[in-house]
Amino acid sequence: MENKNGKPQRKTKMENKKEYLFTSEVVSPGHPDKCADIIADTIVDKLIIEDKNSRVASEVFVAGKNVVIGGEVKSTCQLSNEDYEKLVKDALAKIGYDGKSSFTKEQCLHPDDVNVQVLLNQQSPDISQGVDQTTGDIGAGDQGIMFGFASTETADYMPAAISYARMLSDKVYNYALAHNHKLGVDIKTQVTVDYGTKENFENCKPQKIHTIVVSAPSVEGMDIKEVRELIQGLIDDSGLPTNMYDKESTIIHINPTGRYVSHSSLHDSGLTGRKLIVDSFGGYSPIGGGAQSSKDYTKVDRSGLYAARWLAKHIVAAGLASKAVVQISYAIGVARPTSVSVDTMGTYTSANDDDLSAFVMENFALTPKWITDKFALDKPSAETFLYADVAARGQVGQSDYPWEKLDELEKFKNL
């Protein structure tokens, strides 16, 4: 429509289609950044299982065929360079880089080609004296801020967009593991949720899935039409809620460049801690100042996030708010938090944010030792949880993690 000057007529507000969109992305364990996280936490698992008092900050850089491990370690578990090399190659094989796929050594990483360089130092005694206290308590392994979040948008009290992006990533990744003659494991998914209005967004009422993006490497010679039909079938079978996903109306982009064969660290380097938003809440809430992967449980970047998520989830699950952000902060070498605050963004019910903040501070010590004991963070195992598995699946939002258990719900409901 044109106006009298021949220029396009702007639509009125009534004519505009109402949309309010929010997007989150997820990467699979085969993404180079996730490979770095998983390798780093495979080392954390090994050291803590052998010596629960191990102090670890093992950063990992993956570039081409090279894996560089740097950082600080203090442990009675002494590993040789050969031990570290085996941990790296075993982790890569579990991820899917096992040399058995139909991708060539030029197209993706093969474990036989990996060169591992170990540049680990002893942890500074200046840190140790603050962390390992004579009282038996544990001082925070660093200063910093952590945020936990929860909302009523999904059954696991996570924002909708990242929950659905994870469902898609898991479906395509598991297919790729089982059908490595077709797909590779370096996968990205992205979901845009339409809330309809900002008011719906603020009140945790997603309306529908607006757009889906899936990128997954396919073997040479596989026609793009076949690839897209295959992945479309996986999307349809991923378990997305039928009231949110309509195949006919959802915009779907599958391998949008038309070709995705070469992948892994051969074609994109990876680094620990570079997927913090993927690991947490998909950008829906604030995140803390540091990564979780590569660090032992005394590092509050890790343990503080778990505690903050546990608190936020209890607040929402108890019906005290539709969504909640919990912030915790620490000073290095000091056990008690320097601050704790709750922000329900105006969605609280019986208790306001001041009351909720006071309740948390009065009822939960939130020292590194309290958090460690609460979630058995010094006892990773195949039967409970492994840090490498957490690195692969996301730091929060998985119901089997100890810090996702709603084990003190009655205490919150009685507030």
Side-chain angles (χ1 to χ4, degrees):
M1 184 185 297
E2 295 180 342
N3 61 20
K4 62 183 181 181
N5 297 319
K7 294 182 179 180
Q9 179 78 37
R10 292 185 66 183
K11 290 182 179 181
T12 67
K13 288 185 178 180
M14 292 299 294
E15 292 175 313
N16 281 330
K17 181 181 179 181
K18 283 192 174 183
E19 292 180 341
Y20 193 86
L21 308 179
F22 187 87
T23 303
S24 295
E25 72 158 348
V26 167
V27 300
S28 73
H31 186 283
D33 288 335
K34 279 287 107 195
C35 288
D37 287 339
I38 293 165
I39 290 168
D41 279 345
T42 298
I43 294 168
V44 172
D45 283 326
K46 175 66 175 177
L47 293 172
I48 294 179
I49 289 171
E50 294 295 326
D51 171 14
K52 71 174 187 176
N53 295 314
S54 294
R55 302 293 178 250
V56 194
S58 53
E59 312 294 341
V60 173
F61 175 49
V62 184
K65 300 176 181 179
N66 302 293
V67 176
V68 181
I69 304 168
E72 293 76 44
V73 167
K74 177 188 174 187
S75 178
T76 60
C77 175
Q78 298 298 306
L79 301 177
S80 66
N81 283 7
E82 290 73 22
D83 293 329
Y84 281 109
E85 182 174 340
K86 185 176 188 308
L87 288 172
V88 168
K89 292 186 176 182
D90 287 350
L92 289 171
K94 185 176 180 181
I95 289 166
Y97 295 117
D98 55 5
K100 298 177 183 178
S101 74
S102 297
F103 294 90
T104 69
K105 289 189 174 184
E106 289 71 39
Q107 292 169 344
C108 85
L109 187 65
H110 283 236
D112 292 344
D113 293 339
V114 173
N115 171 56
V116 179
Q117 187 176 9
V118 181
L119 303 173
L120 290 169
N121 303 306
Q122 286 291 312
Q123 185 189 62
S124 167
D126 296 345
I127 296 176
S128 297
Q129 69 178 354
V131 174
D132 302 312
Q133 299 182 356
T134 56
T135 61
D137 213 333
I138 300 173
D142 202 352
Q143 70 176 57
I145 58 171
M146 302 84 223
F147 291 92
F149 177 79
S151 81
T152 56
E153 288 190 5
T154 62
D156 56 9
Y157 300 98
M158 289 285 286
I162 190 168
S163 291
Y164 302 150
R166 282 183 176 175
M167 292 171 69
L168 293 173
S169 178
D170 290 347
K171 185 70 176 182
V172 180
Y173 174 67
N174 288 328
Y175 182 91
L177 284 177
H179 301 83
N180 57 12
H181 61 292
K182 290 185 177 182
L183 299 182
V185 295
D186 185 356
I187 297 157
K188 286 182 122 177
T189 61
Q190 185 172 289
V191 172
T192 300
V193 171
D194 183 6
Y195 290 80
T197 65
K198 179 66 181 299
E199 182 180 7
N200 285 338
F201 176 78
E202 291 173 343
N203 289 290
C204 307
K205 295 179 179 178
Q207 302 297 300
K208 65 178 181 178
I209 295 174
H210 181 277
T211 303
I212 290 172
V213 183
V214 177
S215 295
S218 60
V219 296
E220 192 78 65
M222 194 172 177
D223 185 77
I224 186 61
K225 183 179 179 182
E226 181 185 357
V227 175
R228 286 173 175 161
E229 288 177 352
L230 169 61
I231 295 177
Q232 180 64 61
L234 296 174
I235 293 171
D236 295 341
D237 193 42
S238 65
L240 293 174
T242 55
N243 65 320
M244 292 290 294
Y245 171 59
D246 177 10
K247 178 181 178 179
E248 302 306 318
S249 63
T250 300
I251 300 167
I252 300 174
H253 300 287
I254 299 171
N255 287 15
T257 65
R259 173 184 166 84
Y260 181 20
V261 176
S262 298
H263 61 286
S264 81
S265 60
L266 297 185
H267 305 279
D268 180 17
S269 63
L271 187 66
T272 46
R274 204 157 56 180
K275 288 292 177 283
L276 299 186
I277 289 176
V278 168
D279 272 342
S280 55
F281 306 102
Y284 197 107
S285 85
I287 59 173
Q292 290 74 52
S293 288
S294 84
K295 298 169 183 175
D296 70 78
Y297 53 85
T298 68
K299 304 293 192 298
V300 284
D301 285 325
R302 184 190 283 282
S303 54
L305 168 66
Y306 299 163
R309 162 62 179 173
W310 181 84
L311 290 165
K313 188 174 181 180
H314 272 78
I315 289 168
V316 174
L320 297 173
S322 297
K323 56 184 173 182
V325 173
V326 176
Q327 187 202 52
I328 310 175
S329 68
Y330 293 89
I332 188 168
V334 179
R336 296 282 298 192
T338 55
S339 68
V340 179
S341 65
V342 176
D343 179 7
T344 62
M345 291 160 278
T347 68
Y348 64 82
T349 56
S350 58
N352 65 26
D353 293 354
D354 292 337
D355 295 333
L356 290 168
S357 300
F359 170 78
V360 169
M361 286 188 286
E362 290 168 6
N363 287 273
F364 306 103
L366 298 176
T367 64
K369 179 172 173 47
W370 183 92
I371 301 170
T372 298
D373 292 343
K374 176 71 177 173
F375 305 128
L377 299 184
D378 58 346
K379 299 177 180 67
S381 70
E383 293 70 38
T384 55
F385 74 94
L386 291 170
Y387 288 115
D389 179 55
V390 173
R393 299 169 63 204
Q395 298 290 330
V396 293
Q398 304 289 358
S399 60
D400 55 318
Y401 295 169
W403 47 95
E404 294 288 329
K405 304 296 183 186
L406 293 170
D407 53 350
E408 296 203 37
L409 205 51
E410 289 306 313
K411 181 180 287 188
F412 283 81
K413 287 181 176 180
N414 292 330
L415 177 61

